[in-house]
């Protein structure tokens, strides 16, 4: 069974530029999550989708971050414009079932200069 | 501050037992989890415990839950060098959302 795929693996941009990350969850997983993991910290949930609907985006900085999952499968997370403090690893996860076993992708490491 | 707290670092010798501790805040959490993160990789679920249980054992892993004190621990028996990683505990809140601790870096010396 293929795992959660993310691309790119690494991205370096300058502040005020835009960037987008892509996630393909495990086939059949209805729930998709985006997390931000700053160096030395645990992952922080940014947004949770159930199929193509948003369940929770209370911690998403909506002035600069946006995410979509139009067909209920793949998802993109965008930052526009980026700030220095956005430097982090962006993790995508998906889950299926009552016990919330979330399967994580390898992440995209973003460096904002 | 973090809702879920962990010590930053633990060092053990190969073959010894490791105990990683965690405190959480939400008494209504239904499940509590332990995840492992190796360098450059995403998180991998190790084990979980339902909130009405005190203990769960899974091969070399033992999870203890003290709900009164909101304290969770993970014991790894016969720790191996391959167990070196960062370990995160997480509590599940309403809506199946996880809140992670800051992680404990486990270093296993040969």
């Amino acid at each position: 069974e293929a795992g959660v795929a993310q691309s790119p693996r690494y991205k370096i941009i300058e502040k005020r530029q835009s960037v987008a990350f892509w996630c393909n969850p495990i086939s059949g997983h209805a729930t998709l999550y985006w997390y931000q993991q700053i160096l030395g910290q645990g992952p922080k949930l940014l947004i949770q989708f159930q199929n193509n609907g948003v369940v929770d985006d209370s911690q998403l900085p909506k002035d600069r971050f946006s995410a979509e999952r139009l067909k209920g499968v793949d998802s993109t997370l965008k930052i526009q414009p980026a700030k220095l403090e956005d430097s982090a690893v962006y993790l995508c996860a998906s889950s299926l079932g009552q016990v919330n076993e979330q399967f994580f992708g390898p992440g995209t490491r973003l460096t904002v200069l | 501050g973090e809702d879920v707290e962990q010590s930053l670092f633990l060092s053990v010798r190969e073959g010894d037992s490791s105990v990683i501790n965690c405190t959480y805040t939400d008494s209504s959490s239904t499940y509590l989890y332990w995840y492992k993160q190796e360098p450059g990789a995403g998180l991998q679920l190790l084990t979980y415990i339902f909130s009405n249980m005190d203990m769960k054992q899974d091969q070399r892993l033992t999870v203890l839950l003290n709900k009164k004190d909101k304290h969770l621990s993970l014991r790894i028996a016969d720790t191996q060098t391959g167990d070196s990683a960062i370990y995160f505990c997480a509590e599940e809140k309403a809506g199946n959302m996880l809140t992670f601790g800051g992680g404990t870096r486990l270093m296993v010396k040969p």
Side-chain angles (χ1 to χ4, degrees), chain A residues 28-39:
Chain A
H29 280 196
T31 309
L32 185 146
Y33 312 80
W34 283 103
Y35 290 88
Q36 180 192 58
Q37 186 177 20
I38 292 172
L39 185 65

Side-chain angles (χ1 to χ4, degrees), chain A residues 11-56:
Chain A
K11 189 74 177 179
I12 300 173
I13 61 172
E14 294 188 348
K15 61 183 179 184
R16 291 188 289 273
Q17 286 188 320
S18 301
V19 65
F21 313 126
W22 174 82
C23 173
N24 186 15
I26 292 174
S27 177
H29 280 196
T31 309
L32 185 146
Y33 312 80
W34 283 103
Y35 290 88
Q36 180 192 58
Q37 186 177 20
I38 292 172
L39 185 65
Q41 298 182 17
K44 183 184 86 170
L45 180 69
L46 292 175
I47 189 167
Q48 176 183 349
F49 290 95
Q50 180 78 15
N51 297 307
N52 61 349
V54 175
V55 174
D56 187 276

Side-chain angles (χ1 to χ4, degrees), chain A residues 19-94:
Chain A
V19 65
F21 313 126
W22 174 82
C23 173
N24 186 15
I26 292 174
S27 177
H29 280 196
T31 309
L32 185 146
Y33 312 80
W34 283 103
Y35 290 88
Q36 180 192 58
Q37 186 177 20
I38 292 172
L39 185 65
Q41 298 182 17
K44 183 184 86 170
L45 180 69
L46 292 175
I47 189 167
Q48 176 183 349
F49 290 95
Q50 180 78 15
N51 297 307
N52 61 349
V54 175
V55 174
D56 187 276
D57 62 357
S58 58
Q59 297 193 85
L60 187 74
K62 297 180 188 63
D63 57 333
R64 299 184 300 107
F65 285 65
S66 65
E68 59 183 15
R69 194 185 184 201
L70 291 175
K71 296 182 180 178
V73 181
D74 293 6
S75 177
T76 56
L77 176 70
K78 297 179 182 177
I79 308 175
Q80 180 179 10
K83 292 185 175 181
L84 296 177
E85 59 261 36
D86 298 331
S87 293
V89 175
Y90 290 85
L91 295 165
C92 178
S94 67

Side-chain angles (χ1 to χ4, degrees), chain B residues 12-77:
Chain B
V12 300
R13 293 219 169 268
E14 192 173 18
D16 288 349
S17 292
S18 307
V19 179
I20 302 171
N21 294 301
C22 170
T23 56
Y24 62 98
T25 58
D26 190 348
S27 58
S28 65
S29 296
T30 49
Y31 288 96
L32 295 125
Y33 301 84
W34 283 104
Y35 279 82
K36 176 183 180 183
Q37 186 175 36
E38 297 184 79
L43 280 71
Q44 173 195 0
L45 178 66
L46 284 178
T47 187
Y48 63 91
I49 188 166
F50 188 50
S51 59
N52 69 352
M53 297 171 63
D54 299 325
M55 185 181 86
K56 180 179 180 181
Q57 188 153 3
D58 183 0
Q59 299 182 338
R60 292 191 298 124
L61 305 179
T62 302
V63 178
L64 295 178
L65 175 60
N66 181 328
K67 202 171 178 184
K68 174 177 168 289
D69 295 337
K70 299 190 187 72
H71 183 265
L72 182 73
S73 68
L74 174 69
R75 178 176 180 269
I76 306 173

